[in-house]
Amino acid sequence: MKNTALEIGGLDSFALARAIRAGDCSACEVLEASMARIERTDGAVNAFAGKSYPRARQEAAAVDALCARGEALPPLAGVPYAVKNLFDIAGEVTLAGSKINRSHAPAAQDAFLVGRMQAAGAVLLGALNMDEYAYGFTTENTHYGATHNPHDLTRVAGGSSGGSGAAVAAGQVGITLGSDTNGSIRVPASLCGVWGLKPTFGRLSRRGSYPFVHSIDHLGPLADSVDSLALVYDALQSPDPLDPGCHASSVQPVGDLSRGLAGLRIGVLGGYFHEHASAPARDALMIAAKALGATDVVTWPDAVQGRAAAFIISAAEGGSLHMDDLRTRADDFEPLSVDRFIAGALTPAHWVLRAQRFRRVYRDKVNALFQHWDVLLAPATPVAAPEIGAEWIDINGTRHPSRPSMGLLTQPVSFAGCPVVAAPLWPAGSAGLPIGVQVIAAPWREDLALRAAFALQGAGVAHLKPVEL
């Protein structure tokens, strides 16, 4: 058996899928290497909340059996992946980072997107750590321990999909699935230095995933390259008539990412996104803008109000979802979020209705930007990863509460429902840590965001860095 294509060969998941199809390595060999990497590193990282090795061995063996028969392999055949533990895995309890859910019955079937991954031939290694019920930006989970940033184990991995970001950064798996309501894919992608995609709101089915905020939740992938990200995104696409929140009526393949930037109108978000970004985050944005030839500064409308409305709706829907448990089992909730859930449950209906009405107006204003621009760039997080336990961060001389402020730059974007690729950059002045850049496109134009991200990767400015653990 080769030591590991993930570690020694330096193959990303896209190249790994090709190697398995070519017979250069078997799915079982790759799986054993990936499990060995997880066992060697996860004591330090704490990305995994549960492991599904018996299932993984069965799935890998099925891929190798197809190969032995000379049958065509699906696009992700033999590629290891893992999912945030709010995705249903048949036979496993969907914990969603909580203590309360331990008493729930095991899932009867896989989440829709887990089924899509299985159909594409990917091999599921387990469930990943997260903030309880996805209400957080740091994955400092009291019940299951904090997930540590592989680039500096004293720092947070971001959240709420912190395990999803850390597992890719640590080289445990090259693809993970996460969720993003207010930034929960983009924040860990930024802090862990990996690629992430928050698709258009309603693009991918959410059936079989534990909700946080029905009216804002998105699901999407994190990956080790843009090529891998696009490959898994295409595999996840499918209309789902059983999910009323899935608005996609057809599959729209990403297409050729190498078409370049010809014809793309690319702007750089200023104003709010400049004021709430530290110097290293601004540097990351300027590196990306220079690589893409973007010079025009664009103003995103009503960003402050958009973030405020997103906070109100998130708190109210989250609190309502957990009302019964808040009344009877408040002590079993995550101490870092229970007060916010209680406050959300008490939010006046008038506030929520105003926030929802504003959202419609806000979305129209944001969408109008894309009459003039195809892609817009912004920092993904205001700073690099804070230390675990930090209560405050400094942004340009102003002190902000650490945990909620990691979503300062992502919340206004997801509230509009736009697709976003988080690209990993490595600016000076960030203590060697990554800070991501958001590559934002109009709704239903993931292909344009991925095309611009591919150009950043090709220019060498956005990429993963290996870690020693």
Side-chain angles (χ1 to χ4, degrees):
M1 183 184 78
K2 296 179 182 178
N3 245 344
T4 168
L6 293 171
E7 269 183 274
I8 297 191
L11 300 182
D12 63 24
S13 294
F14 181 83
L16 187 60
R18 288 193 302 182
I20 293 171
R21 286 197 298 273
D24 295 336
C25 53
S26 73
C28 287
E29 286 175 336
V30 171
L31 171 61
E32 293 299 326
S34 188
M35 290 190 297
R37 175 72 175 175
I38 292 167
E39 294 306 307
R40 190 163 62 253
T41 60
D42 206 52
V45 177
N46 194 33
F48 276 78
K51 298 165 186 173
S52 55
Y53 290 173
R55 170 176 171 157
R57 288 192 171 100
Q58 289 179 355
E59 291 181 340
V63 169
D64 288 342
L66 282 177
C67 192
R69 294 195 297 268
E71 297 185 28
L73 297 182
L76 288 168
V79 176
Y81 79 106
V83 301
K84 187 174 183 176
N85 76 359
L86 54 67
F87 287 84
D88 286 350
I89 299 173
E92 303 291 339
V93 175
T94 307
L95 294 172
S98 73
K99 176 181 178 181
I100 290 170
N101 280 23
R102 292 175 191 169
S103 60
H104 288 194
Q109 61 185 24
D110 290 336
F112 184 85
L113 294 189
V114 174
R116 294 292 302 165
M117 292 294 284
Q118 185 175 36
V123 175
L124 178 63
L125 280 119
L128 298 162
N129 201 11
M130 58 181 283
D131 288 290
E132 183 184 70
Y133 295 130
Y135 206 173
F137 281 126
T138 60
T139 313
E140 294 171 279
N141 190 303
T142 300
H143 309 305
Y144 304 104
T147 293
H148 297 252
N149 193 311
H151 296 284
D152 181 342
L153 295 173
T154 69
R155 296 177 183 267
V156 301
S160 60
S161 309
S164 301
V168 175
Q172 296 173 337
V173 289
I175 292 170
T176 59
L177 301 186
S179 69
D180 190 313
T181 303
N182 293 305
S184 290
I185 287 173
R186 291 161 289 158
V187 170
S190 174
L191 301 189
C192 290
V194 304
W195 296 92
L197 170 62
K198 183 201 77 63
T200 303
F201 179 71
R203 167 70 86 178
L204 299 180
S205 173
R206 300 178 299 187
R207 183 156 56 94
S209 64
Y210 199 92
F212 171 30
V213 183
H214 281 288
S215 65
I216 312 179
D217 288 346
H218 309 64
L219 303 180
L222 298 91
D224 48 19
S225 69
V226 178
D227 315 70
S228 304
L229 197 67
L231 184 66
V232 67
Y233 167 64
D234 274 351
L236 294 173
Q237 287 194 62
S238 174
D240 181 9
L242 298 182
D243 178 8
C246 180
H247 307 307
S249 58
S250 62
V251 173
Q252 296 176 293
V254 171
D256 182 9
L257 292 177
S258 64
R259 285 174 291 170
L261 302 176
L264 287 188
R265 302 165 299 172
I266 304 175
V268 180
L269 291 179
Y272 172 93
F273 291 88
H274 181 81
E275 295 160 8
H276 292 91
S278 65
R282 293 176 184 176
D283 287 346
L285 176 61
M286 289 301 101
I287 292 168
K290 183 178 179 181
L292 299 180
T295 57
D296 293 334
V297 178
V298 181
T299 299
W300 185 277
D302 299 336
V304 172
Q305 295 91 329
R307 183 169 185 251
F311 261 127
I312 291 169
I313 293 169
S314 297
E317 288 195 30
S320 176
L321 180 67
H322 298 287
M323 181 71 82
D324 290 343
D325 286 329
L326 288 168
R327 286 177 172 142
T328 61
R329 301 186 62 180
D331 289 345
D332 289 332
F333 276 81
E334 166 64 66
L336 294 175
S337 61
V338 64
D339 290 347
R340 286 178 290 148
F341 274 126
I342 293 171
L346 300 175
T347 301
H350 175 65
W351 292 10
V352 180
L353 290 173
R354 285 190 65 186
Q356 291 285 21
R357 285 197 295 267
F358 169 75
R359 188 182 184 187
R360 291 192 289 271
V361 176
Y362 177 73
R363 194 165 46 216
D364 290 343
K365 287 184 177 181
V366 169
N367 288 345
L369 291 176
F370 296 103
Q371 297 174 17
H372 309 286
W373 308 99
D374 298 301
V375 171
L376 297 170
L377 306 176
T381 52
V383 296
E387 292 185 351
I388 292 171
E391 297 294 335
W392 302 94
I393 58 173
D394 181 272
I395 306 174
N396 304 322
T398 301
R399 196 169 74 152
H400 294 260
S402 177
R403 296 180 184 93
S405 297
M406 297 314 294
L408 270 165
L409 306 176
T410 52
Q411 277 182 287
V413 182
S414 47
F415 194 58
C418 298
V420 188
V421 173
L425 277 86
W426 306 84
S430 62
L433 296 169
I435 299 181
V437 167
Q438 297 184 85
V439 184
I440 308 161
W444 311 105
R445 294 311 307 265
E446 286 85 353
D447 61 316
L448 298 184
L450 286 161
R451 190 169 138 199
F454 187 77
L456 288 176
Q457 178 179 267
V461 300
H463 54 85
L464 272 66
K465 284 188 176 181
V467 295
E468 295 293 335
L469 292 168

